[in-house]
Amino acid sequence: MQEDISIYEAAKYPWSVMARSLLKDLDVTLSEADKNPKILQRTSQRLLGALDSKSLVELEILDSNPYVELTSFFVAKALVDGIGSMFLRRRWATAEAKRAEYNLIKETEAKLAHIGQVEFKWQVENLTSRFAGRTFTHRLYFANYLAASAGFHEREWKLVNKRLSDGYVLLRKSETARVIRAAVEKMLVRDIKKITTDFPSNIKEVYNTVDEVVRKRTDRIRQEIQGEIVPEAFPPCMQALLADMREGKPLSHIARFAITAFLLNVGMDVDAILELFMKTPDFRDDLARYQIEHIAGKRGSTAYTPPSCAYMVSVRLCVDPEKVNIRRHPLAYYRQRRKWQSKP
Ligand code: SF4
């Protein structure tokens, strides 16, 4: 009975510590999953559903068998690692995090606090309080709140617009669930594993299907942003980073990553980017080349895209934060601007 309860819980939150340890206990292998058509079908649904921007993410647990639900998450994760596309990884992480939020809303307030404490080591408590006619259900330590909500750009999430008490941010239940969703998404995007084995045949088929959809989508986007590079269409954040490089100013690690990923995605080659970095302090040809090639996906399985506008704001690289509500990604800015500039 206890195991039934825990497998149902693990199926709802398959990224949790408890789910991972249960899967280890169940000792499920990819070869075993390969023989189960339900797992294969659900894996495919998870990934293709996440990639389909027109359809809403299906939030309910579709398969009544929690074992299938749990295992399909891990097969999907292995495929995301194997395919190595950041586009797919971000879409999949968003879909899984939305599903988590949908389930969290239905939990008790105490459970939400427990998840925050166990999964993210937050200082969070389920404590009911009332201020100005509003009821709050949780308090979250401000530093944890700031880290988790860094990508939120709506005014209501700014710390100045939050009720604070003794260094804790007071949150309603739906807000706590939203903050956990952001933390889940970030965790899934960052948890990249290198796949060293071949997938068994049926899982390989799902891999091929998903890979083809990803390739078509990213090729289309690439066609729109590649071709002749139009520097005038670069977004202000990237123009600012380029100006800093030309002036020989030191760039932070994340700034280097953002500008390199941006330039690679608009079609600049490794040598041309290397030349731009030559003026920066502490330049080392071998190290810089290695890093650029790594971001380009030439040294691993993942080719990276630059961070989203929300993330750029959180690391203070956005130079136009007022516009973040209308912009989502520096590459989207470039794509639109380039199209607009090439109109006769
Ligand atoms: S809104 Fe986005 S594209 Fe514009 S400067 Fe900020 S990060 Fe760059």
Side-chain angles (χ1 to χ4, degrees), residues 235-238 308-309 312 318-321 323-324 327 329-330 333:
C237 49
M238 299 301 163
S308 64
C309 292
M312 293 285 280
C318 171
V319 295
D320 205 1
K323 300 275 171 56
V324 171
R327 292 180 197 155
H329 203 281
Y333 176 103

Side-chain angles (χ1 to χ4, degrees), residues 286-306:
D286 53 342
L287 198 64
R289 180 178 290 280
Y290 178 88
Q291 284 166 346
I292 298 167
E293 287 182 354
H294 178 73
I295 296 169
K298 292 184 177 172
R299 300 214 169 233
S301 54
T302 301
Y304 291 85
T305 49

Side-chain angles (χ1 to χ4, degrees), residues 132-325:
R134 297 178 76 197
T135 304
F136 300 93
T137 53
H138 295 89
R139 56 180 222 155
L140 174 63
Y141 187 54
F142 85 98
N144 298 141
Y145 173 82
L146 283 178
S149 65
F152 297 178
H153 44 260
E154 295 91 348
R155 293 166 67 88
E156 73 208 68
W157 293 101
K158 301 249 176 297
L159 197 58
V160 287
N161 295 325
K162 286 285 167 216
R163 175 72 65 175
L164 274 154
S165 164
D166 298 329
Y168 285 80
V169 179
L170 305 185
L171 298 171
R172 287 173 289 141
K173 185 181 176 186
S174 58
E175 292 173 325
T176 309
R178 177 67 185 88
V179 175
I180 295 177
R181 164 180 148 189
V184 171
E185 186 169 346
K186 206 179 283 179
M187 175 175 77
L188 294 178
V189 168
R190 288 183 179 169
D191 181 20
I192 301 176
K193 296 257 174 343
K194 205 169 172 166
I195 297 285
T196 47
T197 51
D198 283 342
F199 290 108
S201 60
N202 293 323
I203 294 181
K204 185 75 187 169
E205 260 183 50
V206 181
Y207 175 109
N208 290 339
T209 309
V210 175
D211 190 38
E212 202 188 326
V213 175
V214 170
R215 201 148 346 121
K216 276 189 187 151
R217 296 285 293 278
T218 46
D219 279 356
R220 207 176 61 214
I221 296 169
R222 208 166 291 132
Q223 270 167 18
E224 284 177 17
I225 54 174
Q226 290 205 343
E228 194 198 340
I229 299 172
V230 184
E232 303 77 47
F234 285 6
C237 49
M238 299 301 163
Q239 303 248 22
L241 289 176
L242 277 174
D244 285 350
M245 286 165 89
R246 289 197 185 103
E247 287 171 27
K249 287 188 185 163
L251 296 188
S252 66
H253 176 73
I254 182 64
R256 281 168 187 258
F257 171 79
I259 187 67
T260 305
F262 178 82
L263 293 173
L264 286 166
N265 276 274
V266 300
M268 196 176 268
D269 65 34
V270 172
D271 287 324
I273 299 172
L274 199 62
E275 215 167 294
L276 286 170
F277 272 110
M278 274 176 189
K279 277 194 174 173
T280 56
D282 305 329
F283 173 77
R284 261 185 57 193
D285 185 280
D286 53 342
L287 198 64
R289 180 178 290 280
Y290 178 88
Q291 284 166 346
I292 298 167
E293 287 182 354
H294 178 73
I295 296 169
K298 292 184 177 172
R299 300 214 169 233
S301 54
T302 301
Y304 291 85
T305 49
S308 64
C309 292
Y311 190 79
M312 293 285 280
V313 172
S314 73
V315 291
R316 297 174 192 274
L317 289 178
C318 171
V319 295
D320 205 1
E322 294 300 311
K323 300 275 171 56
V324 171
N325 276 336

